[in-house]
Structure formats: structure tokens, C-alpha cells
Amino acid sequence: MVNEVWLAMAVCAIGTFLMRVIPMLWMKRHLIRQQVAATEASMPVWLTVLAPTMIAAMYGVSLVPANQSFSAWLATAIGILTTLLVWRRTRSLGWPVCAGVLMFGVVEVVAVLIAGN
Amino acid sequence: MAVSSNTSPVQSPWLLGAKDALPLLGGYIPVAISFGLISVQAGFSALATVLISTLIYAGASQFLFIAMVASGAPLWLVVLMTLLINARHVVYGPNLAPYLPQSRYWPWLMHGLTDQIFALAHSRLPKLAAKDRLGWYTAAALVAWFSWIAGTALGAIAGAQITQRWPLLGEVMPFALPALFLVLLAPRFTSTVWSLTLGCTIAVAMLLKILGISNGAIPLAALAGMAMFYLLQARANAKTKNGAIADGE
């Protein structure tokens, strides 16, 4: 890799790191200032709305299969349904994910076997 | 591992953080293997590929970085586009700030604040005792970071053999990510306003992804969701106001 590309990579790495750390430090100072001023320490409402919507957006993007075939969509739907059902039953993190991936994989394998016949 | 049992004093926060981050591996490792493979095929050395994953540590932007460099794009444009894609990270830290107890390590630990770690931490940190949060976050972030680096190295060294030998594995394992996001999101469907807001966000994100707007889909869908939230709130406020006026008459 030539020097200029190393430099570009370093700028990207430092820039990304600063985008992760500076807003966090700013908010911590903001909350401390509010505490010192004896007002209720709170975040702007828009920021508290943005957090769940960002997670929902990540979920929506990750739902779309890379290969948008009928079997991939079917596997996604069954996998999501399985995840949801196991979550409702266990209210845990690991088991619903495991069950969802397993069911998604089973549907994908069955689809491959059917297509092979 | 039940959500409600996470504050258990008998379980080390480090162990809990590592366990909570395990489902991420299903999504991280196959994508990291793909990145390692594509990066080497684009002409980067295995060392440079691993360093990109270690230092930039932001999936989509890394793919863009190597693709643009390989295509001979001007480096200022490569840097600009990479940082633009990663700009969504600016909202993650402030949302976690109220749950981060005083420690000089937090700024350095923010390097591990990926989309998935943010989603995980935003759900988990409020449920943990303040003294356990640093340990939980450090363990979760390190498991995710090392899995990304290890996956990249594996992809750079043996990616072609792996994808040839187990082609289905790369398709199945990434489903861990939507499954994880669903588990983190499900408890937030607490009211009509939130259900409609989150439903709208998910629908817009899927539509944008299907239309091929992959990089802009997350911030655009989140903004659409916010707009929906404020619209619903304004309608609810107007209804309350009208009701109060009618009662006054």
C-alpha cells in the first residue's frame, strides 16, 4: 500500500474514532453541567427518539436478504417469526437468536435441496 | 439468560458482556471473512486488510474504502465518503452517555461503538448496576472487535477456500444480526405511537435497501421514523387540546 493510502486510512480511522467519542464527551459534560446547575439532567427529546429509530433502521436494513429470492424471503420470515416466538417465551437474548438462525438455516437448506431435485 | 436476571450479583459483568456479545459473532465473522477476501482480491496485503479492520472498524465504510481505492478514486473523496457513511455514529455516544459512570477509559472504549454494540448497550446498560457497566461494555466491545479482526484475518488468508467449502454458512450465519436487532427492539413496542414509529422506520429502511440505497438507508429511515413520531405526538396533543376546549365549552 502506498504512503498516500496509509495516510487516507489513518484519517478515516481517526475521523471515525472522533465521531464516536466527541459527541459522547459533549453529552457527558452537558449532563454534568445540568447536575451542577441543580436542574434535572436530561437529554434532548429528539436524541432519545433517534436511538430506537436507528436500531429499527438497522433491523430493517438487515432484514433484506442479500439474495432476494422467494426462498430467502421465506427463510427470513420464518426465522423472524421463530425468533419472536422464542423471545416471547424466554424473554432472553441468546436463545431467540440461536433458534432464529437455526430455523433460517433449515429453510435455506430445504430450499437448496428442493432446487437440486 | 433472562433479561430480568442481568443485574444478578453472582454473574461477573465481564462474563455477562461477553455472553451478550456472542450472538454478534454470527453476523460479524462471515461479513469479516468476506471483507478480508475482497480486500486481498482488490490488491491490499493481508496486513493492510487486518489493519483497516482494526483501526477503522466500521463494516460498510471499509468495503467502500477498499472499493474506491482499488478503482483509483481520488483519496480525498475516499476519505470524505468513508467519513460520511460513518457519520451516523455521532448519535450513538450521546445516547449512551447517561448510563456511563465516571471512568477515564470510556473515550478509548468508544472505538468499539459499532451499530450492533450500540443497539446492545442501549438495551443492556440501563438494566445493569452502575458499577457493572464498564466491565460489561468492555467485554462486549472486545468480543465484537476481536471477532471482526479474526474474521478479517481468516478471510484475507483463507477466504476463498472457506467460501468454496461452506457456501451456505456465509448465507445463514448473518441472519443472527436481524434476529438480534429484533430481540433488542421487541420490548420497545410499548404503545401505538412507538409501534407506528418503529414500524414506519423498519418499512422505510427495507424499501431503501431494496431500492439499492444501502449506505443512506439507516440515517434516512431513522429520520423518517422521527418524523412519524413527532407527527403522531402533534396529533395526540391536538386531540387533547381540542378535548379540553370542548370540555370548557
Side-chain angles (χ1 to χ4, degrees), chain B residues 147-169:
Chain B
S147 74
W148 183 251
I149 296 168
T152 302
L154 198 62
I157 295 161
Q161 293 94 309
I162 292 168
T163 48
Q164 267 171 11
R165 195 158 178 183
W166 296 293
L168 260 179
L169 205 62

Side-chain angles (χ1 to χ4, degrees), chain A residues 1-2 4-9 11-17 19-21 23-28 31-32 43 45-68 73 75-81 83-84 87 90-97 100-102 104-106 108-109 112, chain B residues 1-3 20 23 44 48 51-52 55-58 65 69 75 79 82-83 86-95 97-98 100 102 106-108 110-111 113-115 118-120 122 124 168 171-172 175-176 178-188 194 197-198 201-202 205-206 209-210 217-218 221-222 225-226 229-230:
Chain A
M1 207 157 66
V2 293
E4 288 81 6
V5 178
W6 281 110
L7 185 66
M9 190 198 74
V11 173
C12 289
I14 293 167
T16 303
F17 174 68
M19 282 193 285
R20 285 167 169 161
V21 72
M24 184 277 290
L25 292 174
W26 169 80
M27 181 54 77
K28 292 247 351 142
L31 294 173
I32 289 168
M43 290 203 300
V45 175
W46 66 267
L47 204 53
T48 59
V49 177
L50 193 57
T53 57
M54 287 293 276
I55 299 171
M58 289 179 223
Y59 171 62
V61 166
S62 64
L63 264 186
V64 179
N67 160 31
Q68 291 180 38
W73 279 109
T76 302
I78 294 174
I80 285 299
L81 199 66
T83 306
L84 200 57
W87 174 78
T90 63
R91 299 276 160 167
S92 64
L93 185 80
W95 289 116
V97 176
V101 172
L102 198 69
F104 178 86
V106 167
E108 286 267 296
V109 170
V112 168
Chain B
M1 179 176 54
V3 171
D20 281 351
F44 287 85
L51 277 175
I52 291 170
L55 300 174
I56 298 182
Y57 187 37
F65 181 87
V69 170
L75 288 177
V79 171
T82 305
L83 293 179
N86 292 341
R88 67 185 184 282
H89 289 102
V90 297
V91 301
Y92 296 165
N95 267 292
L100 308 181
Q102 270 317 110
W106 284 120
W108 301 110
M110 287 298 109
H111 178 58
L113 192 60
T114 59
D115 297 334
F118 164 69
L120 202 56
H122 194 255
R124 291 303 215 193
L168 260 179
E171 282 182 40
V172 172
F175 187 75
L180 177 68
F181 286 135
L182 175 63
V183 173
L184 297 175
L185 212 53
R188 294 177 193 269
W194 272 112
T197 299
L198 297 175
T201 310
I202 294 164
M206 287 180 75
K209 179 76 194 287
I210 291 167
I218 292 174
M226 265 184 82
F229 179 85
Y230 279 108

